[in-house]
Amino acid sequence: MISFDAEHGFLKEDILSYQSDVTRIHHMIHEKTGAGNDFLGWVDLPRDYNKEEFDRIQQLAAKLKGKYDTLIVCGIGGSYLGAAAAIDMIRGLYPEEGPEVLFTGNTFSSTYMSQILKHIENKSVVLDVVSKSGTTTETALAFRMLREFMEKKYGKEECKWRIVVTTDRAKGTLKALADQEGYEEFVVPDDIGGRYSVLSAVGLVPMALAGIDINKVMEGFAAAYKDLDTDDLKKNPAYRYGVTRRILQNQGYNVEMFVTYEPQMRLVGEWWKQLFGESEGKDGKGILPDSVTFSTDLHSMGQFIQQGNKLLFETGIKVNHPTENLTIPDDPANFDQMNYLSGKDLDWVNKMAQEGTLQAHVEDGHVPNLMITLDDMKEYTFGYMCYFFFLACAMTCYMLDINPFNQPGVEIYKRNMFHLLGKPGYEK
Ligand code: PA5
């Protein structure tokens, strides 16, 4: 379903020479014995997910279908990036069906918030608030403003179906508020951290409300769980990818560029950056994850990649089948001199650009290039891809002796900010 190719990786070590490390770590992941092991709930999630809650998500989406034209997702980090990535990848950027989807609760920008509030003035809105802790300031502030807007516009009674909350099963102010107001509630599992939570209610609720078939997403997730449940490096492309990252960093490459040729996968790049960056970037270690969308960014970052500092390697994403295709029309006048492409598929041109770029970056630029190939950008593939990257990320972090599931560094800005904001308890 997903293939991984390191043919152009310039690897100086044999991936298979890491087999014994991989076997050891594979058991650590599956037997949940490594650092951060209380956050390994995602490992068996494709099998053990809460079926009752899953049905409730589908019922909610069916019940609300057609009753709103804008879905607002309010959350930050792992509480929105997965859903945002899925919705763009699966529906495309300008879908013909389904509600418009907006994301809030991920910024303090007053301009952004104010424009969102004006934009939704005459829309029929459903709001999905997602916060595991229920106390994240960006999300809580945005929710406070949106709730005020919605209560004024619809009244408290109607807000009971227009506001959906996903949070901890028992604790937090968001949980208490949801109980009090009677909002529909879903649970962020205790043993799954934000950036591994996209296929729990965290991402499934917004996906379903955006009109996505979450059954197919879970089918792909389950297929990857089965296919990738092997420590054999020859059979496990996720582990080969994880090992390859380590080999390349040992060779001095400290930046990884995620390269997509599909604009609707730009946010998959953002989600991937959070997954790898927040999991691996600690103890002074890790590869800096970055992302570009080609061919757009060949006209900006392409120059650096081709001829700049040799600090990076690329991980290209190839999509075999585009969601839609177009034939390039013929123009008898041929003013633009493009008739040599008349009758060709636009996707074929995209693929030739990818092939030509790979050649340029590898042969002329001497930039190591890895390739991950997806069949398409549909639900099943998204679910499969999530498990692939989760597993690769856990493997690559454990190989570096890093706990992939905490993010202690994120707290430092919060402490300073709370002090400056005068939050009680942060006076010093
Ligand atoms: O990956 C993570 O754990 C973080 O990015 C969190 O998802 C993010 O900080 C949001 O936290 P919460 O869901 O508690 O509001």
Side-chain angles (χ1 to χ4, degrees):
M1 202 41 221
I2 289 190
S3 63
F4 170 72
D5 174 9
E7 192 194 329
H8 301 295
F10 303 146
L11 303 186
K12 293 193 176 145
E13 288 176 90
D14 181 2
I15 299 176
L16 299 185
S17 68
Y18 283 84
Q19 183 61 65
S20 61
D21 284 337
V22 166
T23 299
R24 179 178 53 81
I25 296 170
H26 173 78
H27 291 295
M28 267 168 64
I29 294 171
H30 284 271
E31 286 150 31
K32 304 190 171 61
T33 51
N37 53 357
D38 40 351
F39 286 100
L40 276 161
W42 57 269
V43 174
D44 297 314
L45 187 68
R47 183 193 66 201
D48 296 345
Y49 67 94
N50 183 333
K51 316 287 183 303
E52 177 274 324
E53 184 178 67
F54 186 81
D55 289 347
R56 211 153 49 79
I57 296 172
Q58 289 188 299
Q59 282 157 17
L60 178 78
K63 192 174 86 188
L64 299 188
K65 195 171 179 200
K67 293 201 174 123
Y68 54 103
D69 37 43
T70 300
L71 169 67
I72 302 186
V73 182
C74 185
I76 195 166
S79 287
Y80 94 99
L81 276 164
I87 290 168
D88 272 11
M89 174 169 157
I90 296 166
R91 300 197 323 171
L93 298 178
Y94 302 100
E96 285 166 41
E97 284 177 24
E100 157 191 57
V101 185
L102 308 175
F103 292 92
T104 62
N106 54 7
T107 173
F108 291 122
S109 165
S110 54
T111 308
Y112 182 79
M113 195 63 215
S114 165
Q115 291 186 340
I116 290 273
L117 288 167
K118 284 183 203 148
H119 178 80
I120 60 176
E121 237 159 49
N122 298 315
K123 309 267 180 179
S124 174
V125 172
V126 161
L127 171 62
D128 177 29
V129 192
V130 190
S131 177
K132 183 173 185 176
S133 61
T135 56
T136 303
T137 317
E138 288 88 340
T139 305
L141 275 185
F143 181 42
R144 175 183 279 222
M145 291 181 206
L146 287 163
R147 191 159 60 91
E148 185 197 43
F149 164 89
M150 291 185 69
E151 282 180 0
K152 266 196 200 138
K153 184 166 175 186
Y154 304 113
K156 269 182 173 282
E157 199 47 39
E158 203 169 316
C159 283
K160 283 187 184 163
W161 67 262
R162 286 192 183 267
I163 298 180
V164 181
V165 169
T166 302
T167 189
D168 188 85
R169 72 182 72 248
K171 52 181 197 297
T173 45
L174 184 57
K175 166 72 186 157
L177 181 74
D179 286 351
Q180 181 194 295
E181 299 296 326
Y183 303 144
E184 183 94 45
E185 293 180 44
F186 298 97
V187 171
V188 187
D190 294 336
D191 56 356
I192 300 182
R195 56 193 177 276
Y196 296 82
S197 70
V198 53
L199 296 182
S200 72
V202 170
L204 290 175
V205 173
M207 277 185 233
L209 290 174
I212 287 171
D213 182 347
I214 57 173
N215 268 309
K216 289 190 186 150
V217 176
M218 290 309 269
E219 276 168 29
F221 197 39
Y225 175 60
K226 196 161 147 266
D227 293 354
L228 302 176
D229 182 15
T230 169
D231 64 330
D232 185 346
L233 267 170
K234 287 193 193 127
K235 295 187 185 143
N236 194 325
Y239 287 163
R240 283 204 301 282
Y241 170 51
V243 170
T244 303
R245 296 177 82 255
R246 292 279 70 91
I247 295 176
L248 284 171
Q249 191 172 32
N250 291 343
Q251 289 175 212
Y253 296 102
N254 287 305
V255 179
E256 177 176 11
M257 194 63 81
F258 177 100
V259 181
T260 175
Y261 282 73
E262 295 288 349
Q264 72 201 64
M265 286 195 62
R266 188 183 70 79
L267 293 183
V268 172
E270 295 301 313
W271 170 80
W272 170 91
K273 278 195 284 200
Q274 191 218 1
L275 179 64
F276 282 82
E278 219 177 23
S279 297
E280 191 180 55
K282 53 196 76 149
D283 304 344
K285 300 182 190 174
I287 293 172
L288 173 70
D290 199 355
S291 63
V292 283
T293 306
F294 287 169
S295 68
T296 317
D297 294 331
L298 283 171
H299 299 253
S300 66
M301 292 291 283
Q303 171 60 37
F304 189 105
I305 297 169
Q306 186 73 49
Q307 295 181 326
N309 191 332
K310 296 291 158 210
L311 77 177
L312 65 88
F313 64 95
E314 291 174 282
T315 297
I317 305 295
K318 185 175 170 198
V319 177
N320 281 337
H321 305 290
T323 307
E324 297 184 42
N325 207 347
L326 285 173
T327 304
I328 297 165
D330 189 51
D331 176 3
N334 197 20
F335 284 125
D336 54 13
Q337 309 279 299
M338 289 287 155
N339 270 0
Y340 75 104
L341 293 174
S342 297
K344 299 270 197 263
D345 287 349
L346 192 52
D347 183 61
W348 175 81
V349 175
N350 204 19
K351 295 222 162 46
M352 292 307 104
Q354 185 160 16
E355 220 174 288
T357 305
L358 177 78
Q359 221 173 347
H361 290 184
V362 168
E363 289 172 17
D364 201 69
H366 306 293
V367 176
N369 260 261
L370 312 178
M371 182 76 83
I372 291 172
T373 304
L374 310 180
D375 240 19
D376 53 36
M377 295 179 281
K378 296 186 180 161
E379 296 90 336
Y380 184 96
T381 303
F382 181 82
Y384 199 107
M385 181 189 75
C386 288
Y387 201 80
F388 175 94
F389 280 129
F390 290 161
L391 205 57
C393 188
M395 174 57 65
T396 210
C397 290
Y398 277 144
M399 286 182 75
L400 204 55
D401 254 332
I402 292 280
N403 174 351
F405 308 114
N406 63 1
Q407 54 283 329
V410 178
E411 297 310 313
I412 300 167
Y413 98 90
K414 290 187 193 167
R415 259 199 328 262
N416 293 345
M417 178 181 75
F418 292 155
H419 172 69
L420 294 169
L421 292 174
K423 183 172 175 168
Y426 291 84
E427 287 79 8
K428 282 195 275 183

